[in-house]
Amino acid sequence: MTKQMSKPAGRPRRFDPEKAIAIAQQLFHEHGYDAVGVADITRALGIKPPSFYAAFGSKAELYSRVLDRYACTGAIPLQDFLRADTPVAEGLAALLEEAARRYAADPLATGCLVLESTRSNDQGVREAAGVFHINAEEEVRAFIAARHPEDAERLADFVSTAMSGLSARARNGQSLERLLASARLAGDALRQALPG
Amino acid sequence: MTKQMSKPAGRPRRFDPEKAIAIAQQLFHEHGYDAVGVADITRALGIKPPSFYAAFGSKAELYSRVLDRYACTGAIPLQDFLRADTPVAEGLAALLEEAARRYAADPLATGCLVLESTRSNDQGVREAAGVFHINAEEEVRAFIAARHPEDAERLADFVSTAMSGLSARARNGQSLERLLASARLAGDALRQALPG
DNA sequence: GATATTCTGTAGTAGACGCTACATAATATT
DNA sequence: AATATTATGTAGCGTCTACTACAGAATATC
């Protein structure tokens, strides 16, 4: 049974807000929050500022929607890699390889949108992205802690550092092959640190 | 024989340009190029914009001077770590530990000024920092290639990725201890990749 | 002392930024 | 058809940015 929405009164929108968020996501991912102006967004959407603000409230609120969308559609599904039936080191190594692949998948929108956003000049954006970042880190830490509690913090830190490095290098234009080689080396370090 | 500079004609400066560059370096390192305005700089220096522009030309030119200064005084002296009489893996591992230490040394000016500058919104700044970045990478690559030519690119990439990750994590406020632990894990990966 | 040179502060410039007041157009409900 | 509601475009708000025209102050040389 599909949700039956009654049509709202008033003049209908000329654009689809969900598609608009997708377009904005591409822009933000490509150039970063600070470098994308409201004028860039409205131009890309073919609308004028008042329509933009009526629909999204502010640039910051739109970015929050973009982050939510990224978490659902663009980010790495951690639970697919961090499974109880997978050896810890193997799961983490596979996660790093997947990161390399995703960060270089779209040559325009490189790196991790969340990781890059934690370094915006806008404090609100940093904090919003920080929540996603911390949640992901905690998921990794808990996955390790289930079988190697002593090593959880240290190895989760290493995974985070590796992913931040991969994201940064992807944004510097590094090729998928070289990114993957670095990810594999980091994976080897984890296998060595967690024998068995 | 010290260079004898004849005093220039005209009204003398009320401030020392070298000290000004040092102060600007601290500001830029702390907040990033984009987030530091000319007004912030002139306020910190106790001068007015015309004095600033007469002395440095533009914000971008000042930043170039800051990068030069950083290369001389703040950056890691690679040649001290990458010596022909040091085992390759040991040299690289020591380099990564030193990076962790430097990136967290000043709790306000965290990370690597060059690495962080490669992600500015200003293209000129990205390019200027990119030159320093590429030169450093090549130095690392050549150090490895002297004894392990097959592995040089792959391992140099890994070192760069690790340093980028360390710089990013330092800027996220990670403590020296945790930064060091990640650096040591990365160093172990290098020792494993280069037995002997 | 006269002049040239250089630095100084006052007070701006033009342009980009995020954002909005307002009148009008397009729809649903009555 | 009348009304309420919502979206739209025009035009522009105030603020911030990097940067500068200009006149006066402080020094060197002549």
Side-chain angles (χ1 to χ4, degrees), chain B residues 1-2 4 6 10 15 17 20 32 35-38 42 47 60 82 98 105 120 134 137 143-144 147 157 191 194 196:
Chain B
M1 176 167 170
T2 60
Q4 184 67 2
S6 65
F15 66 99
V36 176
V38 172
T42 56
I47 63 176
L82 312 182
E98 176 71 9
S120 164
I134 287 175
E137 282 186 317
F143 168 71
I144 305 171
R147 276 167 281 180
D157 275 350
R191 279 186 266 261
L194 285 179

Side-chain angles (χ1 to χ4, degrees), chain B residues 79-134:
Chain B
Q79 65 281 6
D80 290 358
F81 292 88
L82 312 182
R83 299 168 54 91
D85 56 7
T86 309
V88 173
E90 295 307 319
L92 298 176
L95 171 61
L96 290 178
E97 285 200 30
E98 176 71 9
R101 268 185 256 271
R102 295 222 181 198
Y103 296 170
D106 182 339
L108 291 179
T110 51
C112 171
L113 183 65
V114 168
L115 290 176
E116 298 305 312
S117 298
T118 62
R119 326 176 62 184
S120 164
N121 292 323
D122 185 289
Q123 187 185 354
V125 167
R126 282 199 305 274
E127 288 169 358
V131 172
F132 287 91
H133 186 194
I134 287 175

